[in-house]
Amino acid sequence: MQTYDLAADGLRGMNTLLQEQNNETNQTAWEIVNPRGSHAIAVGLDAPIEVTVKGSTGYYCAGMNQQATIKVEGSVGPGVAENMMSGTVIIEGDASQYAGATGHGGLLVIKGNASSRCGISMKGIDIVVHGNIGHMSAFMGQAGNLVVLGDAGDALGDSCYEARFFVRGSVKSLGADCIEKEMRPEHIEILKDLLERAGADAKPEEFKRYGSARQLYNFDVDNAQAY
Protein backbone atom coordinates (compact mmCIF):
# COMPACT_ATOMS: atom_id res chain seq x y z
CA MET A 1 0.00 0.00 0.00
CA GLN A 2 1.40 3.38 -1.09
CA THR A 3 0.23 6.30 1.11
CA TYR A 4 0.12 9.89 -0.14
CA ASP A 5 -0.52 12.79 2.25
CA LEU A 6 -2.39 15.32 0.16
CA ALA A 7 -2.14 18.09 2.76
CA ALA A 8 1.65 17.75 2.97
CA ASP A 9 2.63 16.96 -0.61
CA GLY A 10 0.03 18.70 -2.78
CA LEU A 11 -2.63 17.87 -5.37
CA ARG A 12 -0.54 18.27 -8.53
CA GLY A 13 2.11 15.84 -7.33
CA MET A 14 -0.53 13.27 -6.36
CA ASN A 15 -2.29 13.31 -9.71
CA THR A 16 1.01 13.24 -11.61
CA LEU A 17 2.16 10.24 -9.60
CA LEU A 18 -1.08 8.33 -10.13
CA GLN A 19 -1.27 9.20 -13.83
CA GLU A 20 2.26 7.83 -14.32
CA GLN A 21 1.12 4.33 -13.33
CA ASN A 22 0.60 1.88 -16.19
CA ASN A 23 -0.45 -1.71 -16.82
CA GLU A 24 2.97 -3.01 -15.72
CA THR A 25 3.07 -1.20 -12.37
CA ASN A 26 3.59 -3.18 -9.18
CA GLN A 27 2.30 -0.26 -7.08
CA THR A 28 -1.31 -1.26 -7.44
CA ALA A 29 -2.76 -0.07 -4.11
CA TRP A 30 -2.79 3.61 -3.09
CA GLU A 31 -4.22 5.49 -0.13
CA ILE A 32 -4.83 9.25 -0.20
CA VAL A 33 -5.02 10.80 3.27
CA ASN A 34 -6.06 14.31 4.34
CA PRO A 35 -8.08 15.16 1.19
CA ARG A 36 -9.90 17.93 3.10
CA GLY A 37 -12.44 18.52 0.34
CA SER A 38 -9.85 19.18 -2.37
CA HIS A 39 -11.02 19.31 -5.99
CA ALA A 40 -9.99 17.07 -8.90
CA ILE A 41 -8.56 14.23 -6.81
CA ALA A 42 -7.46 11.12 -8.75
CA VAL A 43 -8.42 12.41 -12.21
CA GLY A 44 -7.31 11.03 -15.56
CA LEU A 45 -6.08 7.67 -14.27
CA ASP A 46 -5.38 4.97 -16.84
CA ALA A 47 -4.06 1.89 -15.06
CA PRO A 48 -5.63 -1.07 -13.17
CA ILE A 49 -4.78 0.36 -9.75
CA GLU A 50 -6.86 0.75 -6.60
CA VAL A 51 -7.05 4.18 -4.96
CA THR A 52 -8.75 4.82 -1.61
CA VAL A 53 -9.45 8.41 -0.58
CA LYS A 54 -9.73 8.67 3.20
CA GLY A 55 -12.28 11.47 3.48
CA SER A 56 -14.58 13.73 1.48
CA THR A 57 -13.65 15.49 -1.75
CA GLY A 58 -14.65 18.55 -3.78
CA TYR A 59 -15.38 18.96 -7.48
CA TYR A 60 -14.65 16.38 -10.20
CA CYS A 61 -13.14 13.57 -8.16
CA ALA A 62 -12.22 10.55 -10.33
CA GLY A 63 -13.00 12.36 -13.56
CA MET A 64 -12.02 10.74 -16.87
CA ASN A 65 -11.22 7.49 -15.12
CA GLN A 66 -10.00 4.48 -17.10
CA GLN A 67 -9.31 1.05 -15.59
CA ALA A 68 -8.75 2.23 -12.00
CA THR A 69 -10.90 1.39 -8.99
CA ILE A 70 -11.39 4.50 -6.88
CA LYS A 71 -13.12 4.45 -3.51
CA VAL A 72 -14.01 7.57 -1.53
CA GLU A 73 -14.60 7.05 2.18
CA GLY A 74 -16.76 10.13 2.47
CA SER A 75 -18.95 12.33 0.27
CA VAL A 76 -18.10 14.06 -3.00
CA GLY A 77 -18.82 17.42 -4.61
CA PRO A 78 -20.20 18.07 -8.11
CA GLY A 79 -19.12 16.04 -11.13
CA VAL A 80 -17.72 12.87 -9.58
CA ALA A 81 -16.62 10.38 -12.27
CA GLU A 82 -17.39 12.94 -14.98
CA ASN A 83 -16.59 11.55 -18.45
CA MET A 84 -15.58 8.20 -16.95
CA MET A 85 -14.55 5.62 -19.57
CA SER A 86 -14.05 2.39 -17.60
CA GLY A 87 -13.15 1.07 -14.17
CA THR A 88 -15.11 1.48 -10.94
CA VAL A 89 -15.78 4.45 -8.67
CA ILE A 90 -17.39 3.85 -5.27
CA ILE A 91 -18.65 6.66 -3.04
CA GLU A 92 -19.42 5.67 0.54
CA GLY A 93 -21.33 8.88 1.26
CA ASP A 94 -23.44 11.28 -0.80
CA ALA A 95 -22.76 12.86 -4.19
CA SER A 96 -23.54 16.40 -5.29
CA GLN A 97 -24.79 17.49 -8.71
CA TYR A 98 -24.21 15.77 -12.08
CA ALA A 99 -22.53 12.62 -10.78
CA GLY A 100 -21.32 10.49 -13.68
CA ALA A 101 -22.03 13.20 -16.25
CA THR A 102 -21.23 12.21 -19.85
CA GLY A 103 -19.79 8.89 -18.64
CA HIS A 104 -18.98 6.48 -21.48
CA GLY A 105 -18.38 3.31 -19.46
CA GLY A 106 -17.45 1.75 -16.16
CA LEU A 107 -19.46 1.52 -12.93
CA LEU A 108 -20.24 4.36 -10.51
CA VAL A 109 -21.67 3.33 -7.14
CA ILE A 110 -23.06 5.91 -4.72
CA LYS A 111 -23.89 4.38 -1.34
CA GLY A 112 -25.77 7.50 -0.16
CA ASN A 113 -27.93 9.97 -2.11
CA ALA A 114 -27.17 11.79 -5.35
CA SER A 115 -28.25 15.36 -6.07
CA SER A 116 -29.73 16.80 -9.26
CA ARG A 117 -28.73 15.81 -12.79
CA CYS A 118 -27.22 12.49 -11.82
CA GLY A 119 -26.11 10.77 -15.03
CA ILE A 120 -26.76 13.80 -17.25
CA SER A 121 -25.88 12.98 -20.88
CA MET A 122 -24.71 9.50 -19.87
CA LYS A 123 -23.21 7.65 -22.84
CA GLY A 124 -22.71 4.08 -21.62
CA ILE A 125 -21.83 4.34 -17.94
CA ASP A 126 -23.62 2.22 -15.33
CA ILE A 127 -24.67 4.15 -12.19
CA VAL A 128 -26.11 2.55 -9.05
CA VAL A 129 -27.42 4.87 -6.31
CA HIS A 130 -28.34 3.20 -3.03
CA GLY A 131 -30.37 6.23 -1.90
CA ASN A 132 -32.37 8.90 -3.75
CA ILE A 133 -31.59 11.08 -6.77
CA GLY A 134 -32.57 14.67 -7.49
CA HIS A 135 -34.36 16.40 -10.35
CA MET A 136 -33.40 16.24 -14.05
CA SER A 137 -31.38 13.08 -13.58
CA ALA A 138 -30.24 11.36 -16.80
CA PHE A 139 -31.27 14.38 -18.87
CA MET A 140 -30.39 13.50 -22.48
CA GLY A 141 -29.17 10.08 -21.35
CA GLN A 142 -27.94 8.31 -24.48
CA ALA A 143 -26.79 4.86 -23.30
CA GLY A 144 -26.07 2.91 -20.14
CA ASN A 145 -28.06 2.11 -16.99
CA LEU A 146 -29.12 4.24 -14.03
CA VAL A 147 -30.28 2.19 -11.03
CA VAL A 148 -31.93 3.92 -8.05
CA LEU A 149 -32.84 2.01 -4.92
CA GLY A 150 -34.66 5.01 -3.44
CA ASP A 151 -36.79 7.72 -5.06
CA ALA A 152 -36.24 9.94 -8.10
CA GLY A 153 -37.01 13.66 -8.35
CA ASP A 154 -38.72 15.67 -11.07
CA ALA A 155 -38.18 15.17 -14.80
CA LEU A 156 -36.37 11.83 -14.76
CA GLY A 157 -34.88 10.99 -18.16
CA ASP A 158 -35.93 14.22 -19.86
CA SER A 159 -35.16 14.06 -23.61
CA CYS A 160 -33.41 10.71 -23.21
CA TYR A 161 -32.34 8.40 -26.00
CA GLU A 162 -31.52 4.72 -25.29
CA ALA A 163 -30.38 4.80 -21.66
CA ARG A 164 -32.33 2.61 -19.23
CA PHE A 165 -33.54 3.75 -15.80
CA PHE A 166 -34.50 1.34 -13.03
CA VAL A 167 -36.14 2.87 -9.94
CA ARG A 168 -37.32 0.94 -6.89
CA GLY A 169 -39.03 3.86 -5.15
CA SER A 170 -41.30 6.61 -6.41
CA VAL A 171 -40.64 8.95 -9.34
CA LYS A 172 -41.88 12.49 -8.76
CA SER A 173 -42.31 13.09 -12.49
CA LEU A 174 -40.98 11.91 -15.83
CA GLY A 175 -39.29 14.27 -18.26
CA ALA A 176 -40.19 14.90 -21.88
CA ASP A 177 -40.40 11.68 -23.92
CA CYS A 178 -39.63 9.43 -20.92
CA ILE A 179 -42.17 6.71 -20.11
CA GLU A 180 -42.50 3.63 -17.95
CA LYS A 181 -41.59 0.47 -19.87
CA GLU A 182 -42.06 -3.26 -19.52
CA MET A 183 -39.55 -5.18 -17.41
CA ARG A 184 -38.62 -8.10 -19.64
CA PRO A 185 -36.41 -11.05 -18.60
CA GLU A 186 -33.31 -9.50 -20.18
CA HIS A 187 -33.78 -6.38 -18.07
CA ILE A 188 -34.11 -8.46 -14.92
CA GLU A 189 -30.75 -10.06 -15.75
CA ILE A 190 -29.07 -6.71 -16.43
CA LEU A 191 -30.41 -5.31 -13.17
CA LYS A 192 -29.48 -8.40 -11.16
CA ASP A 193 -25.88 -8.15 -12.34
CA LEU A 194 -25.63 -4.43 -11.57
CA LEU A 195 -27.11 -4.83 -8.08
CA GLU A 196 -24.64 -7.62 -7.28
CA ARG A 197 -21.66 -5.63 -8.55
CA ALA A 198 -22.77 -2.60 -6.53
CA GLY A 199 -23.29 -4.59 -3.32
CA ALA A 200 -26.95 -3.56 -3.21
CA ASP A 201 -29.37 -5.64 -1.15
CA ALA A 202 -32.43 -5.44 -3.40
CA LYS A 203 -34.40 -7.69 -5.72
CA PRO A 204 -34.71 -6.83 -9.43
CA GLU A 205 -38.43 -7.58 -9.31
CA GLU A 206 -38.92 -4.59 -6.97
CA PHE A 207 -37.95 -2.07 -9.67
CA LYS A 208 -39.77 -0.34 -12.51
CA ARG A 209 -38.06 0.44 -15.81
CA TYR A 210 -38.23 3.78 -17.63
CA GLY A 211 -36.87 4.92 -20.96
CA SER A 212 -37.46 6.83 -24.16
CA ALA A 213 -40.81 6.86 -25.93
CA ARG A 214 -38.78 7.67 -29.08
CA GLN A 215 -41.05 10.52 -30.12
CA LEU A 216 -38.42 13.28 -30.06
CA TYR A 217 -35.69 11.63 -32.16
CA ASN A 218 -36.64 13.82 -35.14
CA PHE A 219 -38.21 17.24 -35.06
CA ASP A 220 -41.98 17.24 -35.48
CA VAL A 221 -43.88 20.50 -35.26
CA ASP A 222 -46.68 18.70 -33.44
CA ASN A 223 -44.24 17.98 -30.60
CA ALA A 224 -42.81 21.50 -30.46
CA GLN A 225 -44.03 22.15 -26.93
CA ALA A 226 -42.18 19.06 -25.65
CA TYR A 227 -38.69 20.04 -26.84
Side-chain angles (χ1 to χ4, degrees), residues 6-227:
L6 190 57
D9 300 318
L11 178 67
R12 186 182 297 273
M14 179 209 65
N15 278 329
T16 299
L17 189 60
L18 294 177
Q19 290 165 7
E20 287 174 347
Q21 306 307 308
N22 54 46
N23 289 329
E24 287 74 41
T25 184
N26 58 6
Q27 297 179 327
T28 58
W30 294 79
E31 183 178 78
I32 310 301
V33 299
N34 295 320
R36 301 188 301 180
S38 296
H39 305 315
I41 292 177
V43 297
L45 307 191
D46 189 12
I49 60 176
E50 296 184 8
V51 179
T52 300
V53 182
K54 307 291 284 187
S56 296
T57 74
Y59 289 81
Y60 297 114
C61 176
M64 300 176 289
N65 185 57
Q66 295 190 89
Q67 301 191 67
T69 297
I70 301 170
K71 180 178 180 180
V72 178
E73 295 183 349
S75 295
V76 293
V80 64
E82 182 267 343
N83 205 36
M84 181 162 134
M85 306 302 286
S86 62
T88 303
V89 176
I90 302 170
I91 310 304
E92 292 290 339
D94 299 322
S96 189
Q97 302 177 82
Y98 38 91
T102 73
H104 287 250
L107 174 65
L108 169 61
V109 180
I110 300 168
K111 299 270 183 92
N113 302 308
S115 186
S116 59
R117 298 174 178 85
C118 178
I120 185 172
S121 195
M122 54 193 289
K123 296 176 173 66
I125 189 174
D126 292 321
I127 304 173
V128 180
V129 181
H130 288 226
N132 306 318
I133 60 172
H135 66 272
M136 292 294 290
S137 288
F139 171 61
M140 292 188 69
Q142 296 173 38
N145 299 286
L146 172 60
V147 179
V148 183
L149 278 70
D151 302 327
D154 277 316
L156 174 68
D158 189 272
S159 304
C160 62
Y161 291 81
E162 292 304 305
R164 292 180 289 257
F165 319 124
F166 301 97
V167 182
R168 184 169 66 167
S170 63
V171 176
K172 192 168 184 180
S173 69
L174 295 174
D177 207 41
C178 185
I179 60 173
E180 183 177 346
K181 294 191 149 186
E182 178 188 4
M183 278 282 278
R184 298 194 298 269
E186 61 266 33
H187 303 123
I188 293 291
E189 289 303 311
I190 291 170
L191 185 51
K192 180 180 178 182
D193 175 65
L194 286 171
L195 290 169
E196 288 177 354
R197 290 167 58 200
D201 185 16
K203 298 178 181 179
E205 294 79 10
E206 298 172 344
F207 290 76
K208 293 181 179 179
R209 179 172 75 99
Y210 303 89
S212 175
R214 300 173 180 169
Q215 297 300 307
L216 300 183
Y217 276 25
N218 301 291
F219 181 79
D220 186 329
V221 69
D222 293 332
N223 293 329
Q225 295 300 316
Y227 289 99

